[in-house]
Structure formats: C-alpha cells, structure tokens
Amino acid sequence: MKINEEQLNHLLNQMTLDEKIAQCIQLAPNFYEGSKEKGDVTGPMAKLGISEELVQNSGSLIGATGAKEMIRIQETYLKNNRLKIPLLFMADIVHGCKTIFPIPLAIGCSWDLELAEKSAEIAALEASVSGIHVTFAPMVDLVRDPRWGRVMESTGEDPYLNSKFAKAFVRGFQGSDLEEDPYRVAACVKHFAGYGAVEGGREYNTVDMSERQLREYYLPAYKAAIDEGAQMLMSSFNTVNGIPATGNRKLLRDLLRDEWGFEGVVISDWGSVMELIPHGVAADEADAAYKAISAGIDIEMMSSAYVKNLSSLVENKMVDEALIDEAVLRILRLKSKLGLFEHPYRGADEELEKRIMMSEYYRHVSHELAVKSIVLLQNKNGILPLQKGKKIAIIGPFAKSHDLLGPWSWLGSKEDAISLYDGLKEKAGAHSLLYAEGCGIDTGTEEQLKDAIKITNKADIILLALGESSEMSGEAASRADIRLPQVQMDLMKLLKRADKPMIAVLFNGRPLDLRDVVEVTNAILEAWFPGTEGGAAIADLLFGDKNPSAKLSMSFPYSVGQIPVYYNHFRTGRPQNALPKVEKYVSKYLDIPNDPLFPFGFGLSYTTFSYGNARLSDQTMNVGTSLTISVDVTNDGEVPGEEIVQLYIQDVVGEVVRPVKELKDFKKVLLYPGETKSISFTITEEKLRYHHSDLQYKSDHGAFIAYIGPNSRDVQALSFQLIQ
Ligand code: BGC
C-alpha cells in the first residue's frame, strides 16, 4: 500500500534533522550489519568515517548482491531503525542482471525498440528477485567520440534514436505500476548532463558547449526518459559550461525541476559531491555539501559531505532545513511508490532467484537481441554466409574467450557466455573447426603464430575473432588509438599470406578504426559484446540461419583524426562536395576523407533491398496539415531479410545553421524474396522544429528536403515547403 502524501509528511515531521540527513546518503553493503562483508571497511570507504548510528538510519544502499543478503540487511536495518523506514536497494543493472544482453551500443544498432524493452523487463525481473529496487539505467548520454570508453553504455549518436531507446528502457524497467508489480525496478536515467561530450574523449573531462547545442542534441534523451516516467536521475561527473553538473543549480533546479517539472529523486554520481573540491568550485567538504544540496542533489552517493556537514550548515543558517525536507520527501515518496513501507523485501525471493535466473526464455530473448545487434560491415563477393562442410580455421584471442558480456555486467558470469568456438561447434561440428589462439589481446608469442599458420594451411576459410577486452571500454577506459591492438593486426596481416578467404568477427565496446581490417579481410561482422548467448548468435549469422539486419547507431571513423565525426553535422560555408573539382580552400583534410569509414545507419544483409522512387503526397504543408512520404522497398535476393528504412530531413534555410540531415523516423520491415512493401512516413510540422538562437523551439517556414534510404549516406531526396 502506498502511504499518502499526508502520511509521508507526518513521517517527515517525526524525523530528527540527523535522521533526515541520513536518508540522503547512499552506502555500500559492507557498512551494514547482516552483510556478509560487514567489518571489512577498509579501502576508500573507510575514509568516510561514518558512525554506526548513521548507518542504521541511512536511506539507501548500492550494490547488494542477492536476495539472501538483501533480506538479511533489510531485516537488521529495520530492527534498528527508529521510524521503520525501509532501506532502498540500488544497483547498476545496465544490460541485463544475470542473463546478459548485448551492450547498449549494440542494442542501439538493432533499432528494435520492442526487444530493447523486453530486455529491460527481464533485467528488472532478475534484479528484483535478487532484492534490487532501483537500477542506475538507462544511460542516455549522446556520444560522438569513440575514444570515450563509455560509448558502449549509450545507444549512440542520434538524439531521436536515443530518445526512443530511452523510453523503451524506462518502460521495460518500470512497467506501468511499480507498486503493483514487484518484479519491476525504478529507473535512474543518467548521467545528467552531456557526459558523452567530454573533451578529447578523456574520461571525467570537461564539457563546454552552447546551450543551444545542449538542448538540441544532448538533452532530448534525458527528457524522453523523464517523460516516460523515470523515477530517478543521476548527475554526471563532468562540468557543464564551467560548473560541475553535481553542483549545477541551473541544470538541476532551473532546467530539471522548474522547466521540465521532474519530481523524482536526484542522486549524485559516485563521490561526485566531494569532487566539487578537486574541480575547484568548493573550498572544503562543507562547501561541497552546501553547493550540492543547493543545486538539487537529494542523495550523495558514496561520499560523506552531507552527513558530516549538513547539520551544522542548517544550524549556521547557511542551508534552509526546507531544502533537506524537500529531498527527504522525494526519497520517502519513491519508497512509498515501490511499496516498501508495506513490503520492505519487495520482490526479493531466494527460491525464485534460483529458479528463474537465466531461464530458457530469457536466454532466447538475449539470443534474438544479439542476432539483431550484430552488424555486417563488409561482405566482399558474398563470402558470407558460410557453407557447411568447409574447414574453418578459427583464430584469435576471442575464438574461445568467454569475455563476451562487456562492461557493466557485474552480476553476469563469464562462464555462462557461449564462446564463438562453442557456438560454431554446436552448428557445424568440431570436425569442421581448427583452432589456434594466434595471440592474446595485446601480447603474442612466436609459438602462437606458428600454430596459427599451421592450421590455416589445412583450412578453407580463416575466421578471425579479434577485439578489445571488456576492460578496454566502459568507465575509465578511454583510448587515444582506437585500432585493434597491434599484435592482433600483425596476426591478421601475417595470416593474409595464406591467401584464403578471411572473415573477421569483432568484439569491442566502441567504434574502431577498421581501415586495415577492411583492406585485409573479405568480411567483417561487428559483434560488439554480444552477451550471454554471443557465440550462438554469431554462429547463426555466420551460417546464414539468421540474416543480419543491424545498422550502426554510431559512425565508425575513418581515423582518429576525424573525431568527432557524426552524420548530423552542420553545413559549412565551404562544403567539400559542392565544388566541381578538387579545391584547396574547402572544408576538408589534406590526408583523409571527410566521411566516416562506415556511416550512421549502415549495415549489410545477406539479401539486397532495392528502393523505388520515393513519393511525397504533396509539395507543401502547413502547421495544421501533414505530408506522407512513401517508398517501395523490394527484397531482390534469395533469402528473407529485415530492412531498416530511414527518414531524414534537412531544413534548407534556418535561423541558425542546420545539420545536413537529421533522423526523423524509421521503420523496420521484414521482406521475403521478391516481396515489395510500400513504406510510408508522416511528416508533421512538429518534426521540423528546432531550437532557435533565442532557444525557442519552433519551425521556420520555407524549403525542406526529405531524405529516405537504407542509411544516412545512400539516400534519395525530395523537396517540400512549409507554408503559412
Ligand atoms: C558510474 C555510474 C554508476 C555508479 C554506481 C559511477 O562510477 O559513473 O554510471 O551508476 O558508479 O556504480
């Protein structure tokens, strides 16, 4: 039973100031009586110097593992807590709990919102039976810089696609009623704001951009998650226009609360309240606490500025107690929404935990999503799919590796992941496989190379399994050189000498510079970190039991020197291709092309789709009417396939410079060989709006171009006008 607003206020009135402040801290399990780790408060957490009493009253906990531990902690906690306010259990359930799904960047490439939602629903179920109430997801930071390791947590570079996924994930995690459904978890959207734009792709670095840029591209996905009902939001580590997000009143109060009307709980990122000191905007811990609470941080994660300073700040009249009341009320409200006052153990259930984790159906969904997330980047002469009966030399550090879950899969076990070798063995039999490791991720020996060469001589096809280890992306894993590690490139080039068809299957958390791989190999399958069912899903695709349909949700740069490279860039005064011949004084590089190696929206299939001439229902529209753009898409090949048809629009003349094109809609369609379907999109005035120089969000009358096609590059164009 939810306790109503009046009861919540009554509860708040009974709380001492210290009890209120304690609600605003989040600690790890080892602080709690009943935790298996209790007593081991060494390391950074020991520095928090927190009293037993405070622990007994603290509001939430991060990262407990399993129903048993959760129940034990909650039980002891409630015994000791004067007002019997239950603890809130939070954790990072990012792309699966026990059953691990592909990393979010891969899910982005599926363009499959339904399956994405399903994956979040399953993650929520597995998480809630293990006692988790809130997940620190979805991460919706827009990303344009593949050097940043955390691009793997995002669905990519486009605000429209990211917003669609943000909503799908929130729906999947939360369902329609958190109180009624104990097998859902509250979603905490992160990292607010603009974390994806850290300078130079270097982790925890500065973000400085115009407010127009922020609103137009970086903010929409957070807003979408909030509109979908996300209950919490996490502030980011970075500065936003000079002020760290965690102490940024303009961001957290003026925008988030006043303008967007967000009523949920705001939590800092790990230690980011204290980080206001090294950022150089707070003189000491008290100042950091003052800045964070004033800016609107309700819960301080894993640092102790609040508990050590808020009460004296209130006594000294630096902080109005009403500010703390507001924060506490929001936290209590969330506990009530989750039904915790009535059911403090909520979904936690040891029996269920044993029974449902990694059930066949969950693995099936993970498998499906992996199939739909893996991008076929190259397939020279239709070398893929593989024919059964050929001898395959499978070589590379990922051939037998179980490191397929990717970062942010802390409750998943690598041993549960199906390796590529096992997936292929299941499909084609061990007799058709020859295996050699070839090299490690970034080290190799002569012996390994010799073994690899030996087996290529006996094989018909070389299948390379290459990539980054999961530690090479995710948090605190920026890379300046985004090629495959040198030793793997050397292996690839050496084996090329065997002059046999060569296929690369890649495992990685970010777009890589693949120039050499493109040149040397015949086919490239970008598998990302595909999750628990990885090897089986890849085998399905390699042998053509499934047809690749994924399309990139983030551009693959030609080289690191192009970064940031993204499809919806602004037009310049000297565009390269507007001029008839190669010109010097145009916007270009002397040594590399402007275009990425693989553009946004790109991905191949084992069939071919042809696009007929696109048609517009009219040449003009006005604010109250709409236009329809249609195109006939035909499957010209031999096998059924799914195509993702994409609609982009360019505003020809804007009040401010407008991008070359922007994704406005897409449709995923299944076509059988020879089948044609007419795909239509509706263009409304709403789709033509943008933030003007005065930040007003509105459209301009005048000319537009609609682009329709299979990716952001290969499009056909149709002009129309928005008139009065
Ligand atoms: C990360 C967050 C995460 C938090 C809690 C931080 O270091 O930036 O994304 O939710 O830790 O694990």
Side-chain angles (χ1 to χ4, degrees):
M1 193 186 63
K2 263 180 224 168
I3 58 173
N4 62 30
E5 227 18 53
E6 200 183 321
Q7 291 166 305
L8 286 177
N9 275 297
H10 178 67
L11 184 58
L12 182 74
N13 290 336
Q14 288 173 270
M15 294 170 82
T16 64
L17 179 59
D18 283 345
E19 281 170 337
K20 289 179 193 168
I21 294 168
Q23 283 295 315
C24 302
I25 183 168
Q26 174 154 100
L27 298 173
N30 54 354
F31 283 89
Y32 296 86
E33 200 65 61
S35 156
K36 62 178 184 309
E37 294 169 40
K38 170 75 182 166
D40 176 23
V41 280
T42 50
M45 284 177 258
K47 291 194 208 130
L48 296 185
I50 280 169
S51 69
E52 274 295 319
E53 196 198 342
L54 183 90
V55 174
Q56 279 164 23
N57 290 307
S58 64
S60 64
L61 179 149
I62 177 173
T65 47
K68 193 169 176 186
E69 177 168 29
M70 181 271 177
I71 292 169
R72 203 164 44 197
I73 294 176
Q74 186 78 297
E75 209 169 27
T76 323
Y77 176 90
L78 284 173
K79 256 188 235 146
N80 297 324
N81 183 274
R82 184 177 73 91
L83 294 167
K84 309 291 169 222
I85 302 173
L87 250 181
L88 198 48
F89 288 71
M90 308 194 190
D92 293 275
I93 305 299
V94 175
H95 53 113
C97 177
K98 193 77 185 148
T99 310
I100 302 298
F101 298 94
I103 55 170
L105 189 59
I107 296 180
C109 297
S110 74
W111 301 52
D112 194 321
L113 304 172
E114 257 172 58
L115 262 189
E117 179 176 339
K118 188 49 95 203
S119 74
E121 183 185 339
I122 293 169
L125 216 163
E126 289 188 343
S128 47
V129 296
S130 34
I132 293 162
H133 307 140
V134 176
T135 177
F136 295 127
M139 185 277 213
V140 303
D141 303 331
L142 184 128
V143 288
R144 292 173 170 174
D145 192 332
R147 291 171 297 183
W148 193 47
R150 302 195 81 164
V151 301
M152 55 71 49
E153 289 173 57
S154 164
T155 47
E157 74 187 35
D158 183 68
Y160 177 80
L161 192 60
N162 284 358
S163 299
K164 291 276 178 195
F165 275 111
K167 282 177 179 274
F169 286 134
V170 171
R171 281 196 302 274
F173 286 131
Q174 296 194 164
S176 52
D177 188 336
L178 277 172
E179 197 210 348
E180 284 298 307
D181 188 349
Y183 302 118
R184 303 279 185 152
V185 292
C188 175
V189 59
K190 67 187 186 186
H191 309 83
F192 195 67
Y195 189 22
V198 284
E199 280 179 7
R202 180 155 57 78
E203 182 64 305
Y204 312 128
N205 206 4
T206 305
V207 172
D208 208 286
M209 66 171 74
S210 72
E211 185 170 348
R212 220 191 62 76
Q213 177 81 203
L214 192 68
R215 283 179 182 265
E216 187 74 0
Y217 302 100
Y218 287 85
L219 296 183
Y222 308 109
K223 175 75 163 48
I226 289 168
D227 289 348
E228 201 61 33
Q231 294 293 326
M232 280 186 62
L233 173 140
M234 187 187 292
S235 69
S236 53
F237 287 124
N238 54 284
T239 56
V240 178
N241 296 339
I243 300 178
T246 299
N248 198 318
R249 192 194 287 247
K250 188 171 172 200
L251 205 59
L252 299 178
R253 284 204 187 274
D254 301 354
L255 179 79
L256 182 67
R257 299 278 185 216
D258 298 346
E259 195 182 316
W260 291 0
F262 180 63
E263 289 178 348
V265 175
V266 174
I267 189 167
S268 77
D269 203 343
W270 185 292
S272 67
V273 172
M274 287 291 218
E275 286 172 22
L276 296 177
I277 305 170
H279 263 302
V281 297
D284 51 28
E285 289 184 20
D287 200 17
Y290 166 74
K291 295 238 156 79
I293 194 86
S294 311
I297 297 288
D298 300 323
I299 301 178
E300 178 185 9
M301 185 198 292
M302 289 307 294
S303 60
S304 53
Y306 277 15
V307 290
K308 291 199 193 133
N309 299 286
L310 278 184
S311 108
S312 50
L313 285 168
V314 171
E315 269 161 36
N316 301 337
K317 307 239 175 312
M318 288 284 291
V319 168
D320 187 344
E321 192 170 343
L323 264 190
I324 297 166
D325 286 355
E326 242 180 48
V328 174
L329 205 52
R330 283 194 281 262
I331 297 164
L332 296 178
R333 217 178 270 138
L334 177 59
K335 293 183 176 185
S336 160
K337 269 193 193 163
L338 284 158
L340 287 176
F341 287 100
E342 178 96 328
H343 303 290
Y345 308 111
R346 211 169 182 265
D349 186 327
E350 266 190 87
E351 266 314 296
L352 219 48
E353 200 179 14
K354 279 189 207 121
R355 205 142 41 82
I356 65 153
M357 288 298 190
M358 299 246 295
S359 76
E360 208 175 306
Y361 174 64
Y362 304 166
R363 291 192 77 132
H364 165 76
V365 174
S366 177
H367 188 123
E368 277 291 284
L369 196 46
V371 163
K372 292 187 183 232
S373 302
I374 295 172
V375 191
L376 180 63
L377 291 177
Q378 172 162 285
N379 194 13
K380 288 185 198 155
N381 304 322
I383 182 148
L384 285 176
L386 296 171
Q387 284 157 16
K388 293 222 173 102
K390 300 258 183 209
K391 264 265 184 284
I392 305 168
I394 168 163
I395 302 169
F398 275 96
K400 286 196 171 176
S401 170
H402 289 267
D403 186 14
L404 307 184
L405 304 184
W408 294 111
S409 51
W410 64 295
L411 285 172
S413 318
K414 284 186 183 170
E415 311 80 67
D416 292 330
I418 300 174
S419 71
L420 179 55
Y421 184 88
D422 287 342
L424 291 172
K425 191 172 78 180
E426 177 74 27
K427 188 134 310 236
H431 59 277
S432 59
L433 301 177
L434 298 161
Y435 163 75
E437 194 178 18
C439 65
I441 294 290
D442 48 21
T443 53
T445 65
E446 283 294 318
E447 212 49 41
Q448 284 176 310
L449 285 180
K450 273 191 208 145
D451 290 348
I453 293 167
K454 210 184 291 166
I455 65 162
T456 56
N457 294 331
K458 297 186 213 146
D460 301 310
I461 291 163
I462 303 170
L463 186 68
L464 292 175
L466 308 174
E468 300 178 311
S469 68
S470 55
E471 289 75 34
M472 290 165 75
S473 59
E475 186 172 351
S478 297
R479 291 181 70 202
D481 181 349
I482 54 166
R483 288 173 300 178
L484 288 173
Q486 191 60 44
V487 64
Q488 298 188 43
M489 303 240 278
D490 292 346
L491 171 73
M492 176 181 76
K493 288 176 184 168
L494 183 79
L495 297 182
K496 180 68 185 164
R497 293 197 205 144
D499 202 23
K500 305 245 163 112
M502 189 183 266
I503 294 152
V505 179
L506 303 178
F507 299 84
N508 44 285
R510 56 160 63 77
L512 297 169
D513 168 351
L514 294 179
R515 272 174 299 162
D516 288 353
V517 188
V518 166
E519 209 180 295
V520 174
T521 64
N522 301 82
I524 304 174
L525 199 60
E526 175 52 77
W528 307 107
F529 287 106
T532 309
E533 288 282 312
I538 299 168
D540 272 349
L541 291 166
L542 286 174
F543 281 102
D545 292 340
K546 295 280 165 75
N547 189 354
S549 61
K551 306 238 189 189
L552 297 177
S553 62
M554 189 175 179
S555 310
F556 272 49
Y558 180 87
S559 79
V560 93
Q562 271 186 337
I563 295 171
V565 61
Y566 48 95
Y567 85 93
N568 50 353
H569 58 85
F570 287 156
R571 284 176 281 165
T572 70
R574 295 189 180 193
Q576 189 180 27
N577 45 17
L579 296 159
K581 59 180 173 47
V582 181
E583 272 281 347
K584 180 167 173 61
Y585 296 100
V586 294
S587 177
K588 67 168 197 287
Y589 299 99
L590 291 176
D591 50 350
I592 57 167
N594 282 3
D595 290 335
L597 196 58
F598 295 111
F600 176 84
F602 176 84
L604 300 171
S605 162
Y606 293 151
T607 189
T608 47
F609 299 103
S610 64
Y611 282 65
N613 289 335
R615 315 171 287 278
L616 268 171
S617 59
D618 210 335
Q619 304 290 302
T620 59
M621 62 180 281
N622 58 37
V623 174
T625 62
S626 62
L627 286 181
T628 305
I629 182 164
S630 322
V631 68
D632 291 343
V633 183
T634 305
N635 181 342
D636 290 327
E638 316 268 281
V639 288
E642 273 187 304
E643 170 68 328
I644 302 167
V645 184
Q646 300 159 39
L647 171 74
Y648 298 86
I649 293 182
Q650 184 195 82
D651 188 345
V652 179
V653 181
E655 187 249 350
V656 296
V657 177
R658 308 289 293 119
V660 286
K661 55 173 84 80
E662 294 174 296
L663 182 72
K664 294 292 176 180
D665 210 343
F666 63 90
K667 276 194 182 135
K668 210 170 169 180
V669 55
L670 171 67
L671 291 168
Y672 288 92
E675 192 184 7
T676 300
K677 275 188 186 156
S678 176
I679 309 299
S680 314
F681 297 103
T682 306
I683 303 174
T684 57
E685 179 269 337
E686 219 180 307
K687 284 200 187 306
L688 310 178
R689 294 182 194 165
Y690 67 96
H691 290 93
H692 284 61
S693 56
D694 60 1
L695 302 180
Q696 276 197 63
Y697 190 64
K698 58 182 187 189
S699 60
D700 293 330
H701 295 135
F704 292 85
I705 304 173
Y707 294 104
I708 201 162
N711 60 60
S712 64
R713 183 189 58 200
D714 306 315
V715 285
Q716 35 176 321
L718 289 171
S719 298
F720 68 93
Q721 298 268 336
L722 176 68
I723 52 172
Q724 291 285 359

